[in-house]
Amino acid sequence: MTALPTVLLVDDEEHSLAAMRMALEDDFECLCAIGAEPAVALMEQQDVQVIFCDQRMPGRSGVAFLSEVRERWPETVRIIITGYTETSDMIAAINDAGIYQFLTKPWHPDALLMAAKNAADLFRLAREHDRMSLEMRLLSRTAESKLEWRRKELREGLGFENVLRAPNSPMNALIAQARQFASFDVPLLLTGEPGTGKTALARAIHYGSLRSDQPFHALNCVGAPDDQLQIELFGARRGALPGAPTNRIGLLQKADRGTLFLNGIETLSPAMQLCLLRVAAQGVYRPLGAHDEQTTNVRLLTGSNRDLRAEVADGRFRADLLYALSTAELSLPPLRARPGDVAVLAQHLLYELSSEHGKPVLGFSDTALEFLENYDWPGNLRELRNEVTRMLIFAQSSTLGPELISRHILQADPGEASMDRSAEAVLAGEGTLRDRVELIEKRILRETLTRLKWNKSRAAAELGLSRVGLRAKLDRYGVVSPHSVAADDTAEDEEER
């Protein structure tokens, strides 16, 4: 229910106050004061929209009181009540007190009520006007600084802070170099295995550059035929493509004055290498079906999964194109060479995927993170994202434990950090048959127990061993349960005795 407007009634005669109150109390919250001083006290305690004040009062007159109200509470609408003989004096005093209206005695109840309603509406409209004026000033300031705020927002949300890493990550030195190159408008070559985050780094370089308020576009060239790449990069004129009645805009035009990242350039054909060389060296290209060349002011960032110098030596890549594209080269390390980063990346991916799929979780258990950290991740960030997604799908509690991890990852013993942990490497490696079989057996034991939450009875049954035989193998290989489940393991042993 909406609160009634508050009206302050001021008079030195109680019967006049009672009469005014009776006329207004159905539509207003009425406060009464006998004289100016009690009225000031009420104003200091209450939020008053309208004042009705008698002119002739002992001590301070109505005009004198309303003049003070004008100074201290200018928003309050002021109405004075006067006798017929005082009207000429009141007209002169209206400006002094900023009086909205004056009523003459004897007043009619309907006239008093109408004056009160009009005054309350005036107060409300004045408040609305002030609010809208403030909003307009704020909108004006926002519009003036919109570009700068946009740049800041992009840099913070898509810049180098978005390249996640641990405090002591080997990525820190690479990011420091990338920051230096970002503000210099030169082409850069980013190298690294597939999935190491070359596109994310290219995007961060763009938003850390002077082109940050211009477009950023990325294109993966791997596996794309020449005709498709030409259309994607250079565009096509109307009629050059079947069923295309309009011009097709290419990425070189879309990214003009911005940044274009081309990944997988080691797969480009000799013809496409020549086309890209003209773009890199001269800033010109020809859309499909066009007779004239177009120019572009684009910053080229490129990525490669292979060593382009070796490709040049083997005659598969143009040396002049390599030099045109690589004022500097930044090499991204694989995930296996980033100790400590996997936990940070996995937690971030989990929260991101949790929000995306609407499945709230708290995080990983320490043991789960230990297994994730000790895996080699040949697929790098893509493989890590797939694994975290799979764990989230099968999670039954808010904390994701190691039993959710894929079997080939569980076979990586957390204590074997210095060893090659892949089963294929063990099978193809050196050593006696017994040593290699025992290493595989040890990994199978750890994987099975972890997947079954260290329930030894279930593990023994699955592996076709007796309880005693399983314990003998665990003792022989030194396989022990993690601290987080040690208490459950002890309780299980006691139950089976």
Side-chain angles (χ1 to χ4, degrees), residues 211 215 217 219 229-235 248-262 272 275-276 278-280 283-287 294-300:
R211 297 175 181 254
H217 290 278
L219 176 65
L229 283 177
Q230 287 180 339
I231 296 171
E232 288 289 336
L233 284 174
F234 310 135
R248 172 80 176 269
I249 299 176
L251 291 178
L252 286 172
Q253 184 176 345
K254 291 180 181 179
D256 191 30
R257 297 188 299 165
T259 304
L260 176 61
F261 175 60
L262 300 177
M272 284 303 300
C275 292
L276 187 58
R278 299 181 67 235
V279 175
V284 296
Y285 65 96
R286 191 190 305 276
Q294 286 189 216
T295 61
T296 181
N297 175 19
V298 68
R299 183 182 188 182
L300 276 177

Side-chain angles (χ1 to χ4, degrees), residues 141-302:
R141 292 174 187 172
T142 302
E144 291 173 1
S145 60
K146 182 178 181 180
L147 180 59
E148 189 58 35
W149 277 107
R150 178 63 175 162
R151 286 177 176 173
K152 181 181 178 182
E153 183 182 58
L154 290 173
R155 285 171 179 162
E156 291 179 352
L158 299 171
F160 292 104
E161 294 78 6
N162 203 43
V163 182
L164 296 178
R165 57 202 183 277
N168 297 321
S169 170
M171 286 286 289
N172 290 339
L174 176 70
I175 296 301
Q177 291 182 0
R179 286 183 186 273
Q180 289 291 105
F181 286 118
S183 57
F184 289 85
D185 209 15
V186 296
L188 298 175
L189 173 64
L190 311 182
T191 61
E193 296 178 7
T196 49
K198 293 187 286 293
T199 302
L201 182 60
R203 184 179 288 107
I205 291 172
H206 168 72
Y207 287 111
S209 73
L210 298 177
R211 297 175 181 254
S212 61
D213 57 330
Q214 299 298 326
F216 172 84
H217 290 278
L219 176 65
N220 191 348
C221 303
V222 177
D226 282 5
D227 53 354
Q228 181 182 343
L229 283 177
Q230 287 180 339
I231 296 171
E232 288 289 336
L233 284 174
F234 310 135
R237 287 288 179 261
R238 181 174 53 189
L241 297 176
T246 59
N247 292 336
R248 172 80 176 269
I249 299 176
L251 291 178
L252 286 172
Q253 184 176 345
K254 291 180 181 179
D256 191 30
R257 297 188 299 165
T259 304
L260 176 61
F261 175 60
L262 300 177
N263 200 7
I265 61 168
E266 74 279 0
T267 64
L268 293 177
S269 68
M272 284 303 300
Q273 290 182 37
L274 180 60
C275 292
L276 187 58
L277 176 61
R278 299 181 67 235
V279 175
Q282 305 171 37
V284 296
Y285 65 96
R286 191 190 305 276
L288 188 65
H291 300 291
D292 300 326
E293 293 180 335
Q294 286 189 216
T295 61
T296 181
N297 175 19
V298 68
R299 183 182 188 182
L300 276 177
L301 303 179
T302 51

Side-chain angles (χ1 to χ4, degrees), residues 439-455:
L439 186 56
I440 291 293
E441 189 175 51
K442 177 182 177 180
R443 294 182 178 185
I444 292 175
L445 287 170
R446 175 172 289 277
E447 177 269 319
T448 304
L449 283 163
T450 303
R451 179 166 44 83
L452 298 177
K453 298 185 178 181
W454 286 82
N455 187 310

Side-chain angles (χ1 to χ4, degrees), residues 63 66-67 70-71 92-99:
V63 170
L66 294 179
S67 296
R70 182 184 189 182
E71 293 295 326
I94 281 178
N95 288 335
D96 295 337
I99 293 172

Side-chain angles (χ1 to χ4, degrees), residues 470-482:
L470 175 63
R471 180 173 292 281
K473 288 185 177 293
L474 296 181
D475 292 342
R476 176 181 178 183
Y477 296 133
V479 177
V480 295
S481 60

Side-chain angles (χ1 to χ4, degrees), residues 26-43:
D26 289 342
D27 298 281
F28 294 90
E29 182 70 31
C30 296
L31 303 176
C32 296
I34 298 180
E37 299 308 321
V40 171
L42 282 173
M43 289 291 295

Side-chain angles (χ1 to χ4, degrees), residues 345-356 359 361-364 388:
L345 291 165
Q347 293 280 16
H348 173 76
L349 286 171
L350 180 61
Y351 296 144
E352 185 180 88
L353 292 165
S354 171
S355 175
E356 178 182 334
K359 186 174 183 179
V361 291
L362 296 178
F364 297 94
V388 173

